[in-house]
Amino acid sequence: ALAALEDQEFTDFVIRTNNEERKYYYREFEKLGLRYVRSNGNFVLVNIGIDSSVAEQEFLKRGIMIRNGEDFGLQQWIRISIGKAEENRKVISILKEILESS
């Protein structure tokens, strides 16, 4: 962790990539008509309109871990960590499948 913090070029790359991928999620959520909370962190929180624990299980079946919002009283919200571009596109693809089948 200390080495990463001392590598300003790497830190800048991670921050820039995270910001770009967060914006990708926002665009996709808007296309899907989903409400979300804007964040400055490495995750996004989105209301998917269905039981988040069901969605969590569906993601797990496809090899993706997300967090459901039930522990926070947010039964229809999920928390998605921002990953690499290809990982984020896979998450959106799976989310679309889940929403279409519900």
Side-chain angles (χ1 to χ4, degrees):
L2 289 175
L5 289 174
E6 292 174 1
D7 185 346
Q8 190 60 49
E9 186 177 324
F10 175 75
T11 301
D12 292 344
F13 168 77
V14 170
I15 291 170
R16 183 176 58 255
T17 302
N18 207 25
N19 288 338
E20 290 169 3
E21 291 304 309
R22 189 181 317 106
K23 289 175 186 174
Y24 164 76
Y25 273 117
Y26 295 163
R27 286 190 306 273
E28 293 300 313
F29 296 155
E30 288 169 8
K31 289 178 191 175
L32 293 168
L34 301 176
R35 293 185 310 148
Y36 59 92
V37 177
R38 289 193 171 270
S39 167
N40 289 316
N42 66 339
F43 66 91
V44 292
L45 187 64
V46 59
N47 184 327
I48 58 172
I50 62 172
D51 186 331
S52 62
S53 64
V54 171
E56 180 181 40
Q57 291 305 309
E58 290 299 318
F59 272 101
L60 280 174
K61 288 179 189 176
R62 294 164 173 88
I64 302 288
M65 290 182 65
I66 55 104
R67 294 219 28 208
N68 75 59
E70 287 190 352
D71 290 343
F72 308 104
L74 302 170
Q75 281 70 20
Q76 296 185 338
W77 292 77
I78 59 173
R79 180 189 185 276
I80 304 168
S81 294
I82 298 171
K84 297 176 184 175
E86 60 273 9
E87 296 166 333
N88 299 329
R89 273 110 191 115
K90 183 175 181 180
V91 167
I92 290 297
S93 176
I94 292 169
L95 178 59
K96 288 176 181 178
E97 288 176 19
I98 292 169
L99 294 176
E100 288 172 3
S101 68
S102 64

